[in-house]
Amino acid sequence: MAKYLLIALLCIPSAASAARDTYPKNPNIDVLHYAFALTLSDETDAIEGVATIDARYLAGGQRSFRLDLVERRDGQGMQVRRVTVNGAESTFRHEQDQVFIDLPAAPEAGSRVRITVEYAGVPASGLKIAPNKYGDRTFFSDNWPNRARHWLPTVDHPYDKATSEMKITAPARYQVVSNGLLVEESDLGDGMRLTHWKQSVPIATWLYVLGAAEFAVQRVGSYRGKEIQTWVYRQDRDAGFYDFAVPTMDVLAFYEAKVGPYSYEKVANIQSNSVGGGMEAASAILYGDNSVTGDRSRRWQHVIIHELAHQWFGNAVTESDWDDVWLSEGFATYFTLLFREHFYGRDDFVAGLKQSRDQIYTFYADRPDYRIVHDNLSDMSQVTTGMTYQKGAWVLHMLRTLLGDDVFWEGIQTYYAAYKDRNATTADFRRHMEEASGLELDAFFQQWLYQGGVPWIEGDWTVDTGRGQVVITARQVQNTYAFRLPMVFEVRYADGSTSRHRLDLSGNASATLDVPAARAVTDVIPDPDTQLLARWTFARR
């Protein structure tokens, strides 16, 4: 079947150019580490910050260093007070939500620089300072996709990953959680407490996390020496500890066995008010205010599975630009379904696929030209849509069908090993799947990722008693975008037996398949194994 699928898909011409990301990257400067020292207060929503940035020059001749930081306007935003370069005062410009720092001399390739930025202000976004559902004051981050710049001076784009640490001074009644491992927790004697977390694995800026609240905290256990923690509002202690006790351990074991090693130093599941569902911050995952139900809600368990899948895809292997976000969301969505298949069974997996397929067709009814790998985003609110999740997952499912399980998992594992704690593109992923399979996959990727549309099929079947055959006919009827579609049909016989047959659909040409029918036929079923992203009308003629 895989060979037939390949033949059907290889004839599609390349139809899209490479995606373009217009973010102002500087490929000659590599940020290595961020250290943020922040002071939080109960008297004001303003934060005080000192960011220390360690970087190296990949090429000589740089005259300025650019950071993202939203300016103060209308009472919100950040104001930079002072900047130093290697300990010496530096001039700078803060304009158009960027800080341009003058370098004292053009550095040589390979040299290092340490920049400090002292700043203060009220975050307009990115860090939510507000009461939780119980009316208690809390501080929670939500940086996706480019909102870390509202409270942290950074290169706020996924291409430049770095290690990081947060030293948070806050009123002592708060417990503070962040990425990585807890380095220090000290009462300062003035009603304030210093909490220091350090993340030793490089991550993208949208994955930086800060949570400060009156938490109940449980050390649930450990997986391969990495602690699993639960952080919930103090009022939700019992219900939250019960809910988050599972399925983290099982999910970690499944993804490690199928993909590769977990990259981070802990797993913390955290109740918060800054997200509605979940946010996959590396090693410290945020879930919504209402994530604690006390009954281990299947819906919320699916969110846990999805956010844990992101620790592999999106976090450890991070898209090089926002246009390739399906490498994060499509993967996490499909790997959630794969765990559901493993844990709950095949029927649950198929139900999830069918639900996703319905959502895809509802979306494309209004936006028929939408492409999964888009380009040149001018509206960052459109970085993701439901299609980067649902259609992205279906692309992986069809790729798995095309290649077979053994080859698919080989490609996934080599891709993960090559780009773990690094950045990747769709082309990188395709190359690893081609190397694992020995097949040319450009046509498959072009059809499903770089062009719009979804296929609609009309078909029927009849029994030609004179010739002793079942005649199956089908054709594509969508108005735009041609697809090469290998459809599988299951012929069901009166004696309970079945047979499988394949029909190649190309463009809007009608295709016919004759199947010998030596015994009585009761039905013909399209796509019996739920392997094709298509919608159809199909009946006996």
Side-chain angles (χ1 to χ4, degrees):
M1 181 175 177
K3 290 181 180 178
Y4 179 86
L5 290 167
L6 177 66
I7 292 169
L9 292 169
L10 284 185
C11 301
I12 307 167
S14 178
S17 60
R20 293 180 296 130
D21 182 346
T22 56
Y23 183 87
K25 302 182 184 74
N26 188 344
N28 296 323
I29 298 176
D30 177 24
V31 176
L32 302 174
H33 184 77
Y34 294 101
F36 305 107
L38 302 174
T39 300
L40 312 179
S41 170
D42 277 340
E43 280 65 53
T44 175
D45 288 346
I47 64 172
E48 302 272 342
V50 178
T52 303
I53 301 106
D54 288 304
R56 68 181 167 204
Y57 297 102
L58 304 180
Q62 309 303 307
R63 301 304 311 207
S64 69
F65 196 110
R66 192 199 67 84
L67 295 168
D68 297 298
L69 187 66
V70 171
E71 298 168 74
R72 179 174 291 177
R73 58 177 69 91
D74 299 326
Q76 294 184 315
M78 297 296 142
Q79 181 176 7
V80 177
R81 295 171 172 171
R82 183 172 179 260
V83 172
T84 67
V85 177
N86 293 331
E89 196 95 14
S90 177
T91 55
F92 63 91
R93 293 176 291 118
H94 192 184
E95 58 190 25
Q96 297 182 331
D97 296 331
Q98 301 172 88
V99 183
F100 298 92
I101 300 164
D102 297 321
L103 300 175
E108 296 180 355
S111 62
R112 300 278 289 266
V113 64
R114 171 168 287 187
I115 291 171
T116 64
V117 180
E118 299 178 15
Y119 65 103
V122 177
S125 187
L127 181 64
K128 182 177 181 178
I129 305 172
N132 65 13
K133 67 178 182 179
Y134 294 110
D136 293 339
R137 183 174 173 82
T138 61
F139 304 75
F140 283 108
S141 58
D142 182 18
N143 297 330
W144 175 256
N146 65 336
R147 291 185 290 153
R149 67 189 68 193
H150 282 277
W151 62 293
L152 301 173
T154 57
V155 176
D156 194 15
H157 186 281
Y159 86 91
D160 196 354
K161 298 168 77 167
T163 57
S164 61
E165 57 192 300
M166 287 200 180
K167 299 179 180 179
I168 307 300
T169 301
R173 67 192 182 93
Y174 297 115
Q175 290 102 333
V176 175
V177 63
S178 188
N179 312 95
L181 294 177
L182 183 63
V183 175
E184 178 186 2
E185 193 173 32
S186 299
D187 286 328
L188 301 179
D190 56 357
M192 302 293 280
R193 177 181 294 141
L194 172 65
T195 308
H196 181 188
W197 291 87
K198 188 171 185 179
Q199 169 75 28
S200 298
V201 181
I203 58 175
T205 50
W206 99 75
L207 302 171
Y208 295 172
V209 69
L210 170 61
E214 295 176 84
F215 283 116
V217 183
Q218 182 185 41
R219 272 69 183 175
V220 179
S222 64
Y223 178 79
R224 297 187 183 274
K226 298 180 179 184
E227 192 170 70
I228 300 171
Q229 305 168 0
T230 297
W231 296 66
V232 294
Y233 305 149
R234 57 184 176 84
Q235 296 93 337
D236 284 337
R237 175 186 178 275
D238 293 341
F241 288 176
Y242 175 77
D243 284 351
F244 283 113
V246 294
T248 298
M249 193 82 72
D250 291 317
V251 177
L252 292 174
F254 177 76
Y255 291 145
E256 277 216 337
K258 301 298 283 187
V259 181
Y262 178 72
S263 205
Y264 305 110
E265 299 151 311
K266 73 168 187 304
V267 181
N269 293 312
I270 307 162
Q271 186 183 15
S272 74
N273 67 350
S274 62
V275 299
M279 168 44 61
E280 65 270 17
S283 81
I285 303 168
L286 299 178
Y287 303 91
D289 244 0
N290 297 317
S291 57
V292 174
T293 63
D295 60 4
R296 290 183 178 166
S297 155
R298 179 68 68 89
R299 171 182 175 270
W300 280 106
Q301 296 224 330
H302 289 172
V303 177
I304 294 171
I305 298 163
H306 181 95
E307 304 310 333
L308 287 169
H310 269 307
Q311 305 303 305
W312 278 260
F313 299 109
N315 295 12
V317 179
T318 304
E319 56 268 29
S320 293
D321 60 52
W322 284 299
D323 298 325
D324 275 331
V325 70
W326 85 282
L327 295 174
S328 176
E329 297 299 353
F331 275 63
T333 301
Y334 189 56
F335 276 75
T336 299
L337 290 173
L338 289 171
F339 179 81
R340 288 169 57 179
E341 181 181 33
H342 162 76
F343 203 69
Y344 303 126
R346 176 74 181 180
D347 289 348
D348 185 84
F349 173 71
V350 170
L353 284 171
K354 290 181 176 179
Q355 181 183 40
S356 291
R357 189 164 61 190
D358 289 344
Q359 292 170 338
I360 291 166
Y361 276 82
T362 298
F363 179 96
Y364 272 91
D366 295 325
R367 299 179 65 177
D369 298 322
Y370 184 82
R371 292 184 289 124
I372 298 303
V373 180
H374 40 58
D375 59 14
N376 196 22
L377 276 168
S378 58
D379 180 1
M380 290 299 293
S381 71
Q382 295 298 305
V383 170
T384 61
T385 69
M387 293 308 94
T388 51
Y389 295 74
Q390 310 303 337
K391 190 177 179 184
W394 259 98
V395 170
L396 290 173
H397 183 58
M398 291 187 291
L399 184 62
R400 178 185 169 201
T401 299
L402 170 63
L403 302 183
D405 274 8
D406 290 346
V407 171
F408 176 79
W409 286 113
E410 179 185 345
I412 290 291
Q413 290 166 6
T414 61
Y415 167 70
Y416 181 74
Y419 296 102
K420 177 176 175 286
D421 305 324
R422 298 174 57 204
N423 295 89
T425 66
T426 298
D428 294 326
F429 174 62
R430 191 190 96 194
R431 185 176 64 256
H432 277 270
M433 302 311 285
E434 288 178 336
E435 290 172 355
S437 65
L439 304 176
E440 167 57 55
L441 297 174
D442 178 65
F444 176 91
F445 278 73
Q446 292 291 341
Q447 170 168 282
W448 294 111
L449 295 171
Y450 292 93
Q451 79 168 22
V454 282
W456 291 76
I457 299 165
E458 289 182 355
D460 54 48
W461 67 278
T462 188
V463 177
D464 185 336
T465 55
R467 294 191 299 146
Q469 290 183 324
V470 177
V471 181
I472 300 170
T473 303
R475 69 185 184 95
Q476 296 180 66
V477 296
Q478 69 272 7
N479 293 327
T480 55
Y481 303 108
F483 292 84
R484 291 278 187 176
L485 299 176
M487 281 203 76
V488 176
F489 295 88
E490 180 178 87
V491 179
R492 297 181 178 178
Y493 302 96
D495 62 4
S497 63
T498 62
S499 61
R500 298 288 178 89
H501 309 274
R502 297 177 291 268
L503 179 63
D504 180 20
L505 302 182
S506 176
N508 61 2
S510 181
T512 300
L513 176 67
D514 294 334
V515 178
R519 51 200 187 279
V521 175
T522 59
D523 207 353
V524 177
I525 307 298
D527 191 32
D529 296 319
T530 317
Q531 294 179 333
L532 182 65
L533 177 57
R535 181 164 282 183
W536 53 81
T537 57
F538 192 77
R540 184 168 188 170
R541 183 173 72 246

